[in-house]
């Protein structure tokens, strides 16, 4: 398994913990996640989950927000998801 596939598998597990609000399914689908988050597409979510994409930090932050994560850690650096998104919007 590649490192990108590990990341994708991890993100898929996180998505499967979120209940669907719009469909009669146990967990939120890629489409529902994308529909409720303007910075994400179903295609992008799918390629990340399959380990095919090289998402930018911005896309990873938006995906973290969509997955209800408050912070993520990269290189032993903790990033506040909401603060990061607010700073992006100021640009």
């Amino acid at each position: 398994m590649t490192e990108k596939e590990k990341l994708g598998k991890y993100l898929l597990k996180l998505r499967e913990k979120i209940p669907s609000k719009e469909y009669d399914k146990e967990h939120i689908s890629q489409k529902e996640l994308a529909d409720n988050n303007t910075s994400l597409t179903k295609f992008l979510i799918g390629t990340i989950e399959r380990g095919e994409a090289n998402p930018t930090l911005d896309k990873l932050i938006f995906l973290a927000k969509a997955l209800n994560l408050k912070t993520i850690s990269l290189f032993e650096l903790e990033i506040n998801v909401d603060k990061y998104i607010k700073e992006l919007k100021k640009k």
Side-chain angles (χ1 to χ4, degrees):
M1 177 181 300
T2 67
E3 297 306 301
K4 287 195 288 186
E5 289 170 334
K6 283 184 201 176
L7 173 65
K9 189 173 183 178
Y10 172 74
L11 294 173
L12 171 62
K13 285 181 183 180
L14 290 176
R15 181 173 60 80
E16 289 177 337
K17 291 180 180 180
I18 300 173
S20 175
K21 293 179 183 173
E22 297 176 15
Y23 303 107
D24 189 25
K25 294 184 180 181
E26 286 185 35
H27 60 80
I28 195 168
S29 66
Q30 292 173 351
K31 179 170 177 24
E32 186 178 354
L33 191 64
D35 286 349
N36 294 317
N37 296 279
T38 57
S39 298
L40 302 172
T41 64
K42 179 184 179 298
F43 177 79
L44 175 67
I45 295 166
T47 58
I48 293 171
E49 287 183 357
R50 289 189 301 276
E52 299 169 355
N54 282 321
T56 64
L57 178 59
D58 289 355
K59 292 301 179 186
L60 285 175
I61 295 292
F62 284 117
L63 187 54
K65 177 74 173 170
L67 294 169
N68 300 321
L69 301 176
K70 299 296 180 199
T71 61
I72 60 172
S73 295
L74 301 168
F75 307 113
E76 299 179 18
L77 173 71
E78 190 173 275
I79 297 172
N80 181 302
V81 171
D82 289 328
K83 183 178 180 208
Y84 186 94
I85 291 172
K86 284 178 187 174
E87 290 170 352
L88 276 179
K89 291 179 180 179
K90 288 182 181 178
K91 290 182 179 180

